[in-house]
Amino acid sequence: MDILHQENVDLLFRAILSLKTPEECYAFFEDACTIKEIQEIAQRFEVASQLWQGKSYSAINQSSGASTATICRVKKCLLYGNSGYRTVLERICPTEDNHD
């Protein structure tokens, strides 16, 4: 995505990479984002994690409240995206066997 690759975005990502604790993350993201934006990103990552674990759409919808459209979008990113979710999930859930 060339539209995303900009100097100000690079600066943002360097700032995020400098954070060392969950408390620092909370402080930064509460300053940089609305609560709703943080909750939406967290929900998408929760969906990715549950898809990674092989859970069904209905189970994910019930546990996370995510819409079918959100679940489908996250699944598409897991299968055909830039491997962002996959990279993180492999690092924090390395023993998972279901990597569809």
Coordinates of all heavy atoms in Angstrom, one line a residue:
M1 N 0.8 -1.2 0.0 CA 0.0 0.0 0.0 C 0.9 1.2 0.0 O 1.3 1.7 1.1 CB -0.9 0.0 1.2 CG -2.0 -0.9 1.2 SD -3.0 -0.6 2.7 CE -4.6 -1.2 2.1
D2 N 1.2 1.8 -1.1 CA 2.0 2.9 -1.2 C 1.4 4.2 -0.5 O 2.1 5.0 0.0 CB 2.3 3.3 -2.7 CG 3.3 2.3 -3.3 OD1 4.0 1.6 -2.5 OD2 3.3 2.1 -4.5
I3 N 0.1 4.2 -0.5 CA -0.6 5.4 0.1 C -0.3 5.4 1.6 O -0.3 6.5 2.2 CB -2.1 5.4 -0.2 CG1 -2.7 6.7 0.2 CG2 -2.8 4.3 0.5 CD1 -4.1 7.0 -0.4
L4 N -0.1 4.2 2.2 CA 0.2 4.2 3.6 C 1.6 4.4 4.0 O 1.9 5.0 5.0 CB -0.2 2.8 4.2 CG -0.1 2.5 5.6 CD1 -1.1 3.5 6.4 CD2 -0.5 1.1 6.0
H5 N 2.5 4.1 3.1 CA 4.0 4.3 3.4 C 4.4 5.7 3.2 O 4.8 6.2 2.1 CB 4.8 3.4 2.4 CG 4.6 1.9 2.7 ND1 5.5 1.2 3.6 CD2 3.6 1.0 2.4 CE1 5.0 0.0 3.7 NE2 3.9 -0.1 3.0
Q6 N 4.3 6.4 4.3 CA 4.7 7.8 4.4 C 5.5 8.1 5.6 O 5.5 7.3 6.5 CB 3.4 8.7 4.4 CG 2.5 8.5 3.2 CD 1.2 9.4 3.4 OE1 1.0 10.1 4.3 NE2 0.3 9.2 2.4
E7 N 6.2 9.2 5.6 CA 7.1 9.5 6.6 C 6.4 9.7 8.0 O 6.9 9.2 9.0 CB 7.9 10.9 6.3 CG 9.0 11.1 7.3 CD 9.8 12.4 6.8 OE1 10.0 12.5 5.6 OE2 10.3 13.1 7.7
N8 N 5.2 10.3 8.0 CA 4.5 10.4 9.3 C 4.0 9.1 9.8 O 4.0 8.9 11.0 CB 3.4 11.4 9.1 CG 2.3 11.0 8.2 OD1 2.5 10.2 7.3 ND2 1.1 11.7 8.3
V9 N 3.7 8.2 8.9 CA 3.3 6.8 9.4 C 4.5 6.1 9.9 O 4.5 5.4 10.9 CB 2.6 6.0 8.2 CG1 2.3 4.6 8.7 CG2 1.4 6.8 7.8
D10 N 5.7 6.2 9.2 CA 6.9 5.6 9.7 C 7.2 6.1 11.1 O 7.6 5.4 12.0 CB 8.1 6.0 8.8 CG 8.1 5.2 7.5 OD1 7.3 4.2 7.4 OD2 8.9 5.6 6.6
L11 N 7.0 7.4 11.4 CA 7.3 8.0 12.7 C 6.3 7.4 13.7 O 6.8 7.1 14.8 CB 7.1 9.5 12.6 CG 7.3 10.3 13.9 CD1 8.7 10.1 14.5 CD2 7.0 11.8 13.7
L12 N 5.1 7.3 13.4 CA 4.1 6.6 14.3 C 4.5 5.2 14.6 O 4.5 4.8 15.8 CB 2.7 6.6 13.6 CG 1.7 5.8 14.4 CD1 1.4 6.4 15.7 CD2 0.4 5.7 13.5
F13 N 4.9 4.4 13.6 CA 5.3 3.1 13.9 C 6.6 3.0 14.7 O 6.7 2.1 15.6 CB 5.4 2.3 12.6 CG 4.1 2.0 11.9 CD1 4.1 1.7 10.5 CD2 2.9 2.1 12.5 CE1 2.9 1.5 9.9 CE2 1.7 1.9 11.9 CZ 1.7 1.6 10.5
R14 N 7.5 3.9 14.5 CA 8.7 3.9 15.4 C 8.3 4.3 16.8 O 8.9 3.7 17.8 CB 9.7 4.9 14.8 CG 10.5 4.4 13.6 CD 11.7 5.2 13.2 NE 11.5 6.6 13.1 CZ 11.1 7.2 12.0 NH1 10.9 6.5 10.9 NH2 11.0 8.5 12.0
A15 N 7.4 5.2 17.0 CA 6.9 5.5 18.3 C 6.3 4.3 19.0 O 6.6 4.0 20.1 CB 5.9 6.7 18.2
I16 N 5.4 3.6 18.3 CA 4.8 2.4 18.8 C 5.9 1.3 19.2 O 5.8 0.7 20.3 CB 3.7 1.8 17.8 CG1 2.6 2.8 17.7 CG2 3.3 0.4 18.3 CD1 1.6 2.5 16.6
L17 N 6.8 1.1 18.3 CA 7.9 0.2 18.6 C 8.7 0.6 19.8 O 9.4 -0.3 20.5 CB 8.8 0.0 17.4 CG 8.2 -0.8 16.2 CD1 9.0 -0.6 15.0 CD2 8.0 -2.2 16.6
S18 N 8.7 1.8 20.2 CA 9.5 2.3 21.4 C 8.8 2.0 22.7 O 9.4 2.0 23.8 CB 9.8 3.8 21.3 OG 8.7 4.5 21.6
L19 N 7.5 1.7 22.7 CA 6.8 1.4 23.9 C 7.2 0.0 24.5 O 7.5 -0.9 23.7 CB 5.3 1.3 23.6 CG 4.7 2.6 23.0 CD1 3.3 2.4 22.6 CD2 4.8 3.8 24.1
K20 N 7.4 0.0 25.8 CA 8.0 -1.2 26.4 C 7.1 -2.0 27.3 O 7.3 -3.1 27.6 CB 9.2 -0.7 27.2 CG 10.4 -0.2 26.3 CD 11.6 0.1 27.1 CE 12.8 0.4 26.4 NZ 12.8 1.2 25.3
T21 N 6.0 -1.3 27.8 CA 5.1 -2.0 28.7 C 3.6 -1.8 28.3 O 3.3 -0.9 27.6 CB 5.2 -1.5 30.2 OG1 4.8 -0.1 30.2 CG2 6.7 -1.6 30.6
P22 N 2.7 -2.7 28.7 CA 1.3 -2.5 28.5 C 0.9 -1.1 29.0 O 0.1 -0.4 28.3 CB 0.6 -3.6 29.2 CG 1.6 -4.7 29.2 CD 2.9 -4.0 29.4
E23 N 1.4 -0.7 30.1 CA 1.0 0.6 30.7 C 1.4 1.7 29.7 O 0.6 2.7 29.6 CB 1.6 0.8 32.1 CG 1.1 -0.1 33.1 CD 1.6 -1.5 33.1 OE1 2.7 -1.8 32.5 OE2 1.0 -2.4 33.6
E24 N 2.6 1.7 29.2 CA 3.0 2.7 28.2 C 2.1 2.6 27.0 O 1.8 3.7 26.4 CB 4.5 2.5 27.8 CG 5.5 2.8 28.8 CD 6.9 2.6 28.4 OE1 7.1 2.1 27.3 OE2 7.8 3.0 29.2
C25 N 1.7 1.4 26.5 CA 0.8 1.3 25.4 C -0.6 2.0 25.7 O -1.1 2.7 24.9 CB 0.6 -0.1 25.0 SG 2.1 -0.9 24.3
Y26 N -1.1 1.7 26.9 CA -2.4 2.3 27.3 C -2.3 3.8 27.2 O -3.1 4.5 26.7 CB -2.8 1.9 28.7 CG -3.6 0.6 28.8 CD1 -2.9 -0.6 29.1 CD2 -4.9 0.5 28.4 CE1 -3.6 -1.8 29.2 CE2 -5.6 -0.7 28.5 CZ -5.0 -1.8 28.9 OH -5.7 -3.0 28.9
A27 N -1.2 4.3 27.8 CA -1.0 5.8 27.9 C -0.9 6.4 26.5 O -1.6 7.4 26.1 CB 0.2 6.2 28.7
F28 N -0.1 5.8 25.6 CA 0.1 6.3 24.3 C -1.2 6.2 23.5 O -1.7 7.2 22.9 CB 1.2 5.5 23.5 CG 1.3 6.0 22.1 CD1 2.0 7.1 21.8 CD2 0.7 5.3 21.1 CE1 2.2 7.6 20.5 CE2 0.9 5.7 19.7 CZ 1.6 6.9 19.5
F29 N -1.9 5.0 23.5 CA -3.0 4.9 22.6 C -4.2 5.7 23.2 O -5.1 6.1 22.4 CB -3.4 3.4 22.4 CG -2.5 2.7 21.4 CD1 -1.4 2.0 21.8 CD2 -2.8 2.9 20.1 CE1 -0.5 1.5 20.8 CE2 -2.0 2.3 19.1 CZ -0.8 1.6 19.5
E30 N -4.3 5.8 24.5 CA -5.4 6.7 25.0 C -5.2 8.1 24.6 O -6.2 8.9 24.4 CB -5.5 6.6 26.5 CG -6.1 5.3 26.9 CD -6.2 5.1 28.5 OE1 -6.4 6.1 29.2 OE2 -6.2 3.9 28.9
D31 N -4.0 8.6 24.4 CA -3.7 9.9 23.9 C -3.9 10.0 22.4 O -4.4 11.0 21.9 CB -2.3 10.3 24.2 CG -2.1 10.7 25.7 OD1 -3.0 10.9 26.4 OD2 -0.9 10.9 26.1
A32 N -3.6 9.0 21.7 CA -3.6 9.0 20.2 C -4.9 8.7 19.6 O -5.2 9.1 18.4 CB -2.4 8.1 19.7
C33 N -5.7 7.9 20.3 CA -6.9 7.3 19.7 C -8.1 7.5 20.6 O -7.9 7.7 21.8 CB -6.8 5.8 19.4 SG -5.4 5.3 18.4
T34 N -9.3 7.4 20.0 CA -10.5 7.4 20.8 C -10.6 6.0 21.5 O -10.0 5.1 21.0 CB -11.7 7.7 20.0 OG1 -12.0 6.6 19.1 CG2 -11.6 9.1 19.2
I35 N -11.4 6.0 22.5 CA -11.6 4.7 23.2 C -12.2 3.7 22.1 O -11.9 2.5 22.1 CB -12.5 4.8 24.4 CG1 -11.9 5.8 25.4 CG2 -12.9 3.5 25.0 CD1 -10.5 5.3 26.0
K36 N -13.2 4.2 21.3 CA -13.9 3.4 20.3 C -12.9 2.8 19.3 O -12.9 1.7 19.0 CB -15.0 4.2 19.6 CG -15.7 3.3 18.6 CD -17.2 3.8 18.6 CE -18.0 3.0 17.5 NZ -18.1 1.6 17.8
E37 N -11.9 3.6 18.9 CA -10.9 3.2 17.9 C -10.1 2.0 18.5 O -9.8 1.0 17.8 CB -10.0 4.3 17.5 CG -10.7 5.3 16.6 CD -9.9 6.6 16.4 OE1 -9.1 7.0 17.2 OE2 -10.2 7.3 15.4
I38 N -9.7 2.2 19.8 CA -8.9 1.2 20.4 C -9.7 -0.1 20.6 O -9.2 -1.2 20.3 CB -8.4 1.7 21.8 CG1 -7.4 2.9 21.7 CG2 -7.7 0.5 22.6 CD1 -7.2 3.6 23.0
Q39 N -11.0 0.0 21.0 CA -11.8 -1.1 21.1 C -12.0 -1.8 19.8 O -12.1 -3.1 19.7 CB -13.2 -0.7 21.7 CG -13.0 -0.3 23.2 CD -14.3 0.3 23.7 OE1 -15.1 0.9 23.0 NE2 -14.5 0.2 25.1
E40 N -12.2 -1.1 18.7 CA -12.4 -1.7 17.4 C -11.1 -2.5 16.9 O -11.3 -3.6 16.4 CB -12.8 -0.6 16.4 CG -14.1 -0.1 16.6 CD -14.5 1.1 15.7 OE1 -13.6 1.7 15.0 OE2 -15.6 1.5 15.7
I41 N -10.0 -1.9 17.1 CA -8.7 -2.6 16.8 C -8.6 -3.9 17.7 O -8.2 -5.0 17.2 CB -7.5 -1.7 16.9 CG1 -7.6 -0.6 15.9 CG2 -6.2 -2.5 16.8 CD1 -6.6 0.5 16.1
A42 N -8.9 -3.7 19.0 CA -8.8 -4.9 19.9 C -9.8 -6.0 19.5 O -9.4 -7.2 19.5 CB -9.0 -4.4 21.3
Q43 N -11.0 -5.6 19.1 CA -11.9 -6.6 18.6 C -11.5 -7.3 17.4 O -11.6 -8.5 17.3 CB -13.3 -5.9 18.4 CG -14.4 -6.9 18.0 CD -15.7 -6.3 17.6 OE1 -15.7 -5.5 16.6 NE2 -16.7 -6.6 18.3
R44 N -10.9 -6.6 16.4 CA -10.4 -7.2 15.2 C -9.3 -8.2 15.5 O -9.2 -9.3 15.0 CB -9.9 -6.2 14.2 CG -11.0 -5.5 13.5 CD -10.5 -4.5 12.5 NE -11.5 -3.4 12.3 CZ -11.2 -2.1 12.5 NH1 -9.9 -1.8 12.8 NH2 -12.1 -1.2 12.4
F45 N -8.4 -7.8 16.5 CA -7.3 -8.7 16.8 C -7.9 -9.9 17.6 O -7.4 -11.1 17.4 CB -6.2 -8.0 17.6 CG -5.1 -8.9 17.9 CD1 -4.2 -9.2 16.8 CD2 -4.8 -9.5 19.1 CE1 -3.2 -10.1 17.0 CE2 -3.7 -10.3 19.3 CZ -2.9 -10.6 18.2
E46 N -8.9 -9.7 18.4 CA -9.5 -10.9 19.1 C -10.1 -11.8 18.1 O -10.0 -13.1 18.2 CB -10.6 -10.3 20.1 CG -11.4 -11.4 20.8 CD -12.5 -10.9 21.7 OE1 -12.8 -9.7 21.6 OE2 -13.1 -11.7 22.4
V47 N -10.8 -11.3 17.1 CA -11.3 -12.1 16.0 C -10.2 -12.9 15.3 O -10.3 -14.1 15.1 CB -12.1 -11.2 15.0 CG1 -12.5 -12.0 13.7 CG2 -13.4 -10.7 15.6
A48 N -9.1 -12.2 15.0 CA -8.0 -12.9 14.3 C -7.5 -14.0 15.2 O -7.2 -15.1 14.7 CB -6.9 -11.9 14.0
S49 N -7.3 -13.8 16.5 CA -6.9 -14.8 17.4 C -7.8 -16.0 17.4 O -7.3 -17.2 17.4 CB -6.7 -14.2 18.8 OG -6.3 -15.2 19.7
Q50 N -9.1 -15.7 17.5 CA -10.0 -16.9 17.5 C -10.1 -17.6 16.2 O -10.2 -18.8 16.2 CB -11.4 -16.3 17.9 CG -11.4 -15.9 19.4 CD -12.8 -15.5 19.9 OE1 -13.8 -16.1 19.5 NE2 -12.9 -14.4 20.7
L51 N -10.0 -16.9 15.1 CA -9.9 -17.6 13.8 C -8.7 -18.5 13.7 O -8.7 -19.6 13.2 CB -9.9 -16.6 12.6 CG -11.2 -15.9 12.3 CD1 -11.0 -14.7 11.4 CD2 -12.2 -16.9 11.7
W52 N -7.6 -17.9 14.2 CA -6.3 -18.7 14.3 C -6.4 -20.0 15.1 O -5.8 -21.0 14.8 CB -5.2 -17.7 14.9 CG -3.8 -18.2 14.9 CD1 -3.1 -18.7 15.9 CD2 -2.9 -18.2 13.8 NE1 -1.9 -19.0 15.6 CE2 -1.7 -18.7 14.2 CE3 -3.1 -17.8 12.5 CZ2 -0.6 -18.9 13.4 CZ3 -2.0 -18.0 11.6 CH2 -0.7 -18.5 12.1
Q53 N -7.3 -19.9 16.1 CA -7.5 -21.1 17.0 C -8.5 -22.0 16.3 O -8.8 -23.1 16.9 CB -8.0 -20.6 18.3 CG -7.0 -19.8 19.1 CD -7.6 -19.2 20.4 OE1 -8.5 -19.8 21.0 NE2 -7.2 -18.0 20.7
G54 N -9.1 -21.7 15.2 CA -10.0 -22.5 14.5 C -11.5 -22.4 14.9 O -12.3 -23.3 14.6
K55 N -11.8 -21.4 15.6 CA -13.2 -21.2 16.1 C -14.1 -20.8 14.9 O -13.7 -20.2 13.9 CB -13.3 -20.2 17.2 CG -12.5 -20.6 18.4 CD -12.8 -19.7 19.6 CE -12.0 -20.3 20.8 NZ -12.1 -19.4 21.9
S56 N -15.4 -21.2 15.1 CA -16.4 -20.9 14.0 C -16.8 -19.4 14.1 O -16.6 -18.8 15.1 CB -17.6 -21.8 14.2 OG -18.3 -21.4 15.4
Y57 N -17.4 -19.0 13.0 CA -17.9 -17.6 12.9 C -18.9 -17.4 14.0 O -18.9 -16.3 14.6 CB -18.5 -17.3 11.5 CG -17.5 -17.0 10.4 CD1 -16.2 -17.6 10.4 CD2 -17.9 -16.1 9.4 CE1 -15.4 -17.3 9.3 CE2 -17.0 -15.8 8.4 CZ -15.7 -16.4 8.4 OH -14.9 -16.1 7.3
S58 N -19.8 -18.3 14.2 CA -20.9 -18.1 15.2 C -20.3 -18.0 16.6 O -20.7 -17.2 17.4 CB -21.9 -19.2 15.1 OG -21.4 -20.4 15.4
A59 N -19.3 -18.8 16.9 CA -18.6 -18.8 18.2 C -17.9 -17.5 18.4 O -18.0 -16.9 19.5 CB -17.7 -20.0 18.4
I60 N -17.3 -17.0 17.4 CA -16.5 -15.7 17.4 C -17.5 -14.6 17.6 O -17.3 -13.7 18.4 CB -15.7 -15.5 16.2 CG1 -14.6 -16.6 16.1 CG2 -15.1 -14.1 16.2 CD1 -13.8 -16.6 14.8
N61 N -18.6 -14.6 16.9 CA -19.6 -13.6 17.0 C -20.2 -13.5 18.4 O -20.3 -12.5 19.0 CB -20.8 -13.8 16.0 CG -22.0 -12.9 16.2 OD1 -22.9 -13.3 16.9 ND2 -21.9 -11.7 15.7
Q62 N -20.5 -14.7 19.0 CA -21.0 -14.7 20.3 C -20.0 -14.2 21.4 O -20.4 -13.5 22.3 CB -21.5 -16.1 20.7 CG -22.8 -16.5 20.0 CD -23.5 -17.6 20.7 OE1 -22.9 -18.5 21.2 NE2 -24.8 -17.4 20.8
S63 N -18.8 -14.6 21.3 CA -17.8 -14.3 22.3 C -17.3 -12.8 22.1 O -17.0 -12.2 23.1 CB -16.6 -15.2 22.3 OG -15.9 -15.1 21.1
S64 N -17.2 -12.3 20.9 CA -16.6 -11.0 20.7 C -17.6 -9.9 20.4 O -17.3 -8.7 20.5 CB -15.6 -11.1 19.6 OG -16.2 -11.3 18.3
G65 N -18.8 -10.3 19.9 CA -19.7 -9.4 19.4 C -19.4 -8.8 18.0 O -20.2 -7.9 17.5
A66 N -18.4 -9.3 17.4 CA -18.0 -8.9 16.0 C -19.1 -9.3 15.0 O -19.6 -10.4 15.1 CB -16.7 -9.4 15.6
S67 N -19.3 -8.4 14.1 CA -20.3 -8.8 13.0 C -19.7 -9.8 12.1 O -18.4 -10.0 12.0 CB -20.6 -7.5 12.2 OG -19.5 -7.1 11.5
T68 N -20.5 -10.5 11.3 CA -20.0 -11.4 10.3 C -19.1 -10.7 9.3 O -18.1 -11.3 8.9 CB -21.2 -12.1 9.6 OG1 -22.0 -12.7 10.6 CG2 -20.8 -13.1 8.6
A69 N -19.5 -9.5 8.9 CA -18.7 -8.7 8.0 C -17.3 -8.5 8.5 O -16.3 -8.6 7.8 CB -19.3 -7.4 7.7
T70 N -17.2 -8.2 9.8 CA -15.8 -8.0 10.4 C -15.1 -9.3 10.5 O -13.9 -9.3 10.1 CB -16.0 -7.4 11.9 OG1 -16.6 -6.1 11.8 CG2 -14.6 -7.3 12.6
I71 N -15.7 -10.3 10.8 CA -15.1 -11.7 10.9 C -14.6 -12.1 9.5 O -13.4 -12.5 9.4 CB -16.0 -12.7 11.5 CG1 -16.4 -12.3 12.9 CG2 -15.4 -14.1 11.4 CD1 -17.6 -13.2 13.5
C72 N -15.4 -11.8 8.5 CA -15.0 -12.2 7.1 C -13.8 -11.3 6.7 O -12.9 -11.8 6.0 CB -16.2 -11.9 6.1 SG -17.5 -13.1 6.3
R73 N -13.8 -10.0 7.0 CA -12.7 -9.2 6.6 C -11.4 -9.6 7.3 O -10.3 -9.7 6.7 CB -13.0 -7.7 7.0 CG -11.9 -6.8 6.6 CD -12.2 -5.3 7.0 NE -11.3 -4.4 6.5 CZ -10.0 -4.3 7.0 NH1 -9.6 -5.0 8.0 NH2 -9.2 -3.4 6.4
V74 N -11.5 -9.9 8.6 CA -10.3 -10.4 9.3 C -9.8 -11.7 8.7 O -8.6 -11.9 8.5 CB -10.5 -10.5 10.8 CG1 -9.4 -11.1 11.5 CG2 -10.8 -9.1 11.4
K75 N -10.7 -12.6 8.4 CA -10.3 -13.9 7.8 C -9.6 -13.7 6.5 O -8.6 -14.3 6.2 CB -11.6 -14.8 7.6 CG -11.3 -16.1 7.0 CD -10.6 -17.1 7.9 CE -10.6 -18.5 7.3 NZ -10.1 -19.5 8.2
K76 N -10.2 -12.8 5.7 CA -9.5 -12.4 4.4 C -8.1 -11.9 4.6 O -7.2 -12.3 3.9 CB -10.4 -11.4 3.6 CG -9.8 -11.0 2.3 CD -10.7 -10.0 1.6 CE -10.1 -9.5 0.3 NZ -10.9 -8.4 -0.3
C77 N -7.9 -11.1 5.6 CA -6.6 -10.6 5.9 C -5.6 -11.7 6.4 O -4.5 -11.7 6.0 CB -6.6 -9.5 7.0 SG -7.4 -7.9 6.5
L78 N -6.2 -12.6 7.2 CA -5.3 -13.8 7.6 C -4.9 -14.6 6.4 O -3.8 -15.1 6.4 CB -6.1 -14.6 8.6 CG -6.1 -14.3 10.1 CD1 -7.0 -15.1 10.9 CD2 -4.7 -14.4 10.6
L79 N -5.8 -14.8 5.5 CA -5.5 -15.7 4.3 C -4.7 -15.0 3.2 O -3.8 -15.6 2.6 CB -6.8 -16.2 3.7 CG -7.6 -17.2 4.6 CD1 -8.9 -17.6 4.0 CD2 -6.8 -18.4 4.9
Y80 N -5.1 -13.7 2.9 CA -4.5 -13.1 1.7 C -3.9 -11.7 2.0 O -3.5 -11.1 1.1 CB -5.7 -12.9 0.7 CG -6.4 -14.1 0.4 CD1 -7.8 -14.2 0.8 CD2 -5.9 -15.2 -0.2 CE1 -8.5 -15.4 0.6 CE2 -6.6 -16.3 -0.5 CZ -7.9 -16.4 -0.1 OH -8.6 -17.6 -0.3
G81 N -3.8 -11.3 3.2 CA -3.3 -10.0 3.6 C -1.8 -9.9 3.6 O -1.1 -10.8 3.0
N82 N -1.2 -9.0 4.3 CA 0.2 -8.7 4.3 C 0.9 -9.5 5.4 O 2.0 -9.2 5.8 CB 0.5 -7.2 4.5 CG 0.1 -6.5 3.2 OD1 0.4 -6.9 2.1 ND2 -0.6 -5.4 3.5
S83 N 0.2 -10.5 6.0 CA 0.8 -11.4 7.1 C 1.0 -10.6 8.4 O 1.7 -11.1 9.2 CB 2.1 -12.0 6.6 OG 1.8 -12.9 5.5
G84 N 0.3 -9.5 8.6 CA 0.5 -8.7 9.8 C -0.1 -9.5 11.0 O 0.6 -9.7 12.0
Y85 N -1.4 -10.0 10.9 CA -2.0 -10.8 11.9 C -1.2 -12.0 12.1 O -0.8 -12.4 13.3 CB -3.4 -11.1 11.6 CG -4.4 -10.1 11.7 CD1 -5.3 -9.8 10.7 CD2 -4.6 -9.3 12.9 CE1 -6.3 -8.9 10.8 CE2 -5.6 -8.3 13.0 CZ -6.4 -8.1 11.9 OH -7.4 -7.2 12.0
R86 N -0.8 -12.7 11.0 CA -0.1 -14.0 11.1 C 1.2 -13.8 11.8 O 1.5 -14.7 12.7 CB 0.1 -14.5 9.7 CG 0.7 -15.9 9.6 CD 0.8 -16.4 8.2 NE -0.5 -16.6 7.6 CZ -1.2 -17.7 7.7 NH1 -0.7 -18.7 8.4 NH2 -2.4 -17.9 7.2
T87 N 2.0 -12.8 11.5 CA 3.3 -12.6 12.2 C 3.1 -12.5 13.7 O 3.8 -13.2 14.5 CB 3.9 -11.3 11.6 OG1 4.2 -11.5 10.2 CG2 5.2 -11.0 12.4
V88 N 2.1 -11.7 14.1 CA 1.9 -11.5 15.6 C 1.4 -12.7 16.2 O 1.9 -13.1 17.3 CB 1.0 -10.3 15.8 CG1 0.6 -10.2 17.3 CG2 1.7 -9.0 15.3
L89 N 0.4 -13.4 15.6 CA -0.1 -14.6 16.2 C 0.9 -15.7 16.3 O 0.9 -16.5 17.3 CB -1.4 -15.0 15.4 CG -2.6 -14.1 15.5 CD1 -3.6 -14.4 14.4 CD2 -3.2 -14.2 16.9
E90 N 1.8 -15.9 15.3 CA 2.8 -16.9 15.4 C 3.8 -16.6 16.5 O 4.3 -17.5 17.1 CB 3.6 -16.9 14.1 CG 2.8 -17.6 12.9 CD 3.5 -17.6 11.6 OE1 4.5 -16.8 11.4 OE2 3.1 -18.3 10.7
R91 N 4.0 -15.3 16.8 CA 4.8 -14.9 17.9 C 4.2 -15.1 19.3 O 4.9 -15.5 20.2 CB 5.3 -13.5 17.8 CG 6.3 -13.3 16.6 CD 6.7 -11.9 16.4 NE 7.5 -11.8 15.2 CZ 7.8 -10.7 14.6 NH1 7.4 -9.5 15.1 NH2 8.6 -10.7 13.6
I92 N 2.9 -14.8 19.4 CA 2.3 -14.9 20.7 C 1.5 -16.2 21.0 O 1.2 -16.5 22.1 CB 1.4 -13.7 21.1 CG1 0.2 -13.7 20.2 CG2 2.2 -12.4 21.0 CD1 -0.9 -12.6 20.6
C93 N 1.3 -17.0 19.9 CA 0.6 -18.3 20.0 C 1.4 -19.3 19.2 O 0.8 -19.9 18.3 CB -0.8 -18.2 19.4 SG -1.8 -16.9 20.2
P94 N 2.7 -19.5 19.5 CA 3.5 -20.3 18.6 C 3.1 -21.8 18.6 O 3.5 -22.5 17.6 CB 4.9 -20.2 19.2 CG 4.7 -19.8 20.6 CD 3.4 -19.0 20.6
T95 N 2.3 -22.3 19.5 CA 2.0 -23.7 19.5 C 0.7 -24.0 18.8 O 0.4 -25.2 18.7 CB 1.8 -24.2 21.0 OG1 0.8 -23.4 21.6 CG2 3.1 -24.0 21.8
E96 N 0.0 -23.0 18.3 CA -1.2 -23.3 17.5 C -0.9 -24.0 16.2 O 0.0 -23.7 15.5 CB -1.9 -22.0 17.2 CG -2.5 -21.3 18.4 CD -3.5 -22.0 19.1 OE1 -4.2 -22.8 18.5 OE2 -3.6 -21.9 20.4
D97 N -1.7 -25.0 16.0 CA -1.5 -25.8 14.8 C -2.4 -25.4 13.6 O -2.1 -25.7 12.5 CB -1.8 -27.3 15.1 CG -0.8 -27.9 16.0 OD1 0.4 -27.5 15.9 OD2 -1.1 -28.8 16.8
N98 N -3.5 -24.7 13.9 CA -4.4 -24.3 12.8 C -4.1 -23.0 12.3 O -4.4 -22.0 12.9 CB -5.9 -24.3 13.4 CG -6.9 -24.1 12.3 OD1 -6.5 -23.9 11.1 ND2 -8.1 -24.0 12.7
H99 N -3.4 -22.9 11.1 CA -3.0 -21.7 10.5 C -3.6 -21.5 9.2 O -3.0 -21.1 8.2 CB -1.4 -21.7 10.4 CG -0.8 -21.8 11.7 ND1 0.5 -22.3 11.8 CD2 -1.1 -21.6 13.0 CE1 0.8 -22.4 13.1 NE2 -0.1 -21.9 13.8
D100 N -4.9 -21.7 9.1 CA -5.6 -21.6 7.8 C -5.6 -20.1 7.4 O -6.3 -19.3 7.6 CB -7.1 -22.0 8.0 CG -7.1 -23.5 8.2 OD1 -6.2 -24.3 7.9 OD2 -8.1 -24.0 8.8

